[in-house]
Amino acid sequence: MLVTDLRHFLDLPRDTPGPARPLAEHLSNIVRAATAGDAGTAWESALPCRRRPANRRCPGRMIVLRTAAGAPIRWQCRVCEDEGVISNWEDSPFDLRRRWPALAGAINEIGIPDEVAAALRLLDTGCERLVFRMRAGDEGAVLAATDDDLDELIEFAAAEANHEPSRRRRQRLDAAFDALSTAAQTPHRW
Ligand SMILES: [Zn+2]
């Protein structure tokens, strides 16, 4: 059981050595998922496991549970033994709890490949709650979004791709844009 205090992982310097930086990213993603999704119930997010037993990526996803502010967020891999708790997540930059009521709208569930889900997590801000609320699907991730949400996400991916200096990240964002645009035009989504 990995017991962590999120405050120790905020604002790590760029040159932080060793495993601290990937761990910080892992923990901050878990906090984003747990605060973007519903509280009080454990659910399987689209976030991949960080472990690589015998040099192979663990195929598990992160199951997250947030109860109330003041209580640690709990997480565990669906497949391996990796698990932990994160305290002091409240009001951190990764706390995506909704501060205003959700707009009503029919929610579509859209299946997207893992690579696209990973690319969407590169987006800076704006659509974070949508992105980190993604659940694990039978294959890939499941994005639950209204038509307006999806339009916004597509515009956002396009805008970010236009401003992205890294060629590799730009290609990933372009692929995400294409996948979402296709999903938006498909009348029967899964
Ligand atoms: Zn695992």
Side-chain angles (χ1 to χ4, degrees):
M1 163 83 72
L2 183 67
V3 178
T4 51
D5 180 336
L6 187 66
R7 290 176 304 189
H8 299 157
F9 293 90
L10 297 174
D11 303 323
L12 284 180
R14 279 228 163 267
D15 54 356
T16 300
R21 177 160 287 286
L23 179 59
E25 191 184 329
H26 183 67
L27 297 175
S28 59
N29 282 348
I30 287 171
V31 169
R32 285 192 271 209
T35 53
D38 293 336
T41 176
W43 59 281
E44 188 179 356
S45 74
L47 294 176
C49 181
R50 68 197 169 113
R51 296 182 92 190
R52 298 182 62 85
N55 258 334
R56 294 186 121 146
R57 179 184 265 281
C58 169
R61 316 297 187 104
M62 294 296 108
I63 298 172
V64 299
L65 171 62
R66 164 173 65 96
T67 51
I73 286 170
R74 308 185 67 91
W75 57 273
Q76 69 178 107
C77 175
R78 185 182 177 80
V79 172
C80 73
E81 311 262 278
D82 203 20
E83 62 174 338
V85 293
I86 306 170
S87 58
N88 291 310
W89 52 271
E90 301 86 351
D91 301 317
S92 71
F94 311 114
D95 179 358
L96 302 182
R97 282 177 297 167
R98 203 180 276 286
R99 284 166 178 86
W100 54 89
L103 296 174
I107 304 273
N108 306 297
E109 297 215 320
I110 303 153
I112 57 174
D114 281 322
E115 313 84 77
V116 171
L120 293 178
R121 286 194 287 269
L122 297 175
L123 297 177
D124 270 347
T125 48
C127 297
E128 271 185 311
R129 184 178 294 110
L130 206 55
V131 168
F132 280 89
R133 214 169 50 199
M134 281 190 293
R135 288 182 287 107
D138 293 339
E139 298 169 52
V142 179
L143 174 71
T146 64
D147 287 340
D148 286 349
D149 286 338
L150 192 57
D151 287 346
E152 199 180 354
L153 194 54
I154 289 168
E155 278 173 31
F156 209 73
E160 289 262 313
N162 284 339
H163 294 115
E164 176 55 59
S166 151
R167 184 181 155 85
R168 191 165 153 272
R169 282 169 63 118
R170 193 167 61 241
Q171 284 172 341
R172 293 177 67 188
L173 287 167
D174 283 340
F177 173 82
D178 290 343
L180 291 173
S181 302
T182 305
Q185 287 156 12
T186 309
H188 299 289
R189 296 162 187 165
W190 50 279

